[in-house]
Amino acid sequence: MGFLSKLFGNKKDKLNEYISRGGIIIDVRSKAEYDSGAIPGSKHITVQNITAQATTIKKWNKPVICVCASGGRSATAAAVLRSKGIEAMNGGAWMSAYKKMNG
């Protein structure tokens, strides 16, 4: 286990743990980005709409994995959701997250 993994935990393990508990993947990219390719079964809610959708997301009563193109927008979305009492993590770049969950 590397130094960063010791500090921050293993992201692949956390992703898989969230998924094993019925976690929901929210892709926060633009519609055009999402339409060009996304994780199968993911929900599309742009980062600009996360706050407005937080009440609905909280009602799902599931852990949430936020993904985007590189990890910046998903970090923002996950932070917003956590501030609303929702168990959420930054999954980072959607392609990388998808590979970690299926690799």
Side-chain angles (χ1 to χ4, degrees):
M1 182 181 279
F3 176 71
L4 292 177
S5 292
K6 286 180 182 177
L7 282 178
F8 301 109
N10 186 318
K11 187 180 251 185
K12 181 177 179 177
D13 289 346
K14 190 171 181 179
L15 284 167
N16 288 327
E17 188 257 327
Y18 271 42
I19 294 297
S20 74
R21 294 192 296 122
I24 296 176
I25 300 166
I26 299 177
D27 193 316
V28 300
R29 298 175 296 152
S30 71
K31 180 174 178 4
E33 288 173 300
Y34 184 80
D35 289 347
S36 71
I39 296 172
S42 63
K43 299 199 180 286
H44 180 236
I45 302 172
T46 63
V47 70
Q48 295 87 348
N49 290 316
I50 280 292
T51 301
Q53 294 297 316
T55 301
T56 298
I57 294 166
K58 191 167 189 165
K59 288 178 186 175
W60 297 342
N61 200 29
K62 301 279 184 183
V64 173
I65 302 162
C66 297
V67 297
C68 66
S70 65
R73 289 174 285 180
S74 55
T76 298
V80 167
L81 294 176
R82 285 192 301 271
S83 77
K84 304 288 185 186
I86 298 166
E87 184 179 10
M89 70 171 284
N90 178 9
W94 76 273
M95 285 185 139
S96 177
Y98 185 64
K99 287 177 185 174
K100 284 178 183 159
M101 289 183 285
N102 293 291

